[in-house]
Amino acid sequence: MSGTGAPSRKVPQIVDARIAIVTAQWHQEISDALLSGAQRACRQAGVTQVQVERVAGSFELPLAAQVLLDSGFDAVVVLGLVLRGETPHFDYICDGVTRGVMDVMLKSGRPIGFGVLMCDTLAQAQARAGLPGSSEDKGFEATVAVLEMLQLQSSLLQ
C-alpha cells in the first residue's frame, strides 16, 4: 500500500496564508472527500482565507492553479481522480496533469499541493480519499504539504 512508511506530520500554523483549493468535478464522491480533507487541514492550520473552485476535470487543474496563483493566492491545492479506463487516455491525462502542475509550481515559485489520485480501480481511490473506512486522506496530506512548503519559504525568505 502506498501509505506504508508515511511520515508522522504536524500541521503547521500558517494563519495569514491565502490558499485556493481547486477540485475536478468528475467522480464527485471522491473529489468531495478529498476537498473535505483539504479544508480540514486548512482549519487545523488556522487558515481563514480559503477559496474553493471546481473545474470540469483533472486536465483543467494546471491552468486553474496558474490563474489562482496569478490572482494572488499564496498556494493552491489541486484535487481530483483520474481512473484507468480501456484506452491510453489515462496515461496521457496523468502525464499532462502532473507535468502541468509541476510547470506552474516552478514557474510561479509558489507551492501547489498535489492531491490528484491516479488509480486503476474505484476501490483504490476510495481507500485514499479520506472517506469513512479509508486508509489514507490524500486531500489532507496534499494540503499539509503545501502548508509545510509555505512555512519553509517563509523561514528562508526572512
Side-chain angles (χ1 to χ4, degrees):
M1 170 164 280
S2 65
T4 303
S8 174
R9 295 158 71 188
K10 183 179 176 194
V11 178
Q13 298 299 296
I14 314 281
V15 289
D16 58 345
R18 291 187 64 224
I19 296 180
I21 303 169
V22 59
T23 181
Q25 294 181 43
W26 279 81
H27 308 287
Q28 190 163 351
E29 176 191 29
I30 301 298
S31 293
D32 287 350
L34 292 167
L35 174 59
S36 179
Q39 290 171 317
R40 185 168 37 83
C42 286
R43 284 191 303 275
Q44 287 183 19
V47 177
T48 58
Q49 298 180 68
V50 179
Q51 182 169 322
V52 175
E53 298 291 340
R54 295 182 188 272
V55 296
S58 293
F59 194 72
E60 289 74 30
L61 292 170
L63 180 56
Q66 180 178 311
V67 169
L68 290 160
L69 290 171
D70 287 349
S71 73
F73 283 92
D74 299 309
V76 174
V77 179
V78 296
L79 307 170
L81 167 61
V82 183
L83 194 59
R84 185 178 299 278
E86 298 176 356
T87 68
H89 181 76
F90 172 86
D91 299 313
Y92 295 114
I93 296 299
C94 291
D95 184 59
V97 172
T98 303
R99 286 177 189 263
V101 169
M102 181 62 72
D103 288 348
V104 172
M105 184 167 49
L106 293 174
K107 178 183 165 195
S108 70
R110 285 182 273 167
I112 299 175
F114 195 82
V116 181
L117 304 179
M118 299 172 179
C119 300
D120 290 325
T121 67
L122 187 57
Q124 290 173 340
Q126 291 165 334
R128 291 160 176 78
L131 293 163
S134 292
S135 56
E136 299 178 73
D137 186 344
K138 295 301 184 183
F140 183 86
E141 291 177 25
T143 306
V144 172
V146 155
L147 295 166
E148 290 171 343
M149 288 304 300
L150 285 172
Q151 187 176 53
L152 176 66
Q153 285 181 317
S154 176
S155 70
L156 294 175
L157 298 175
Q158 289 181 353

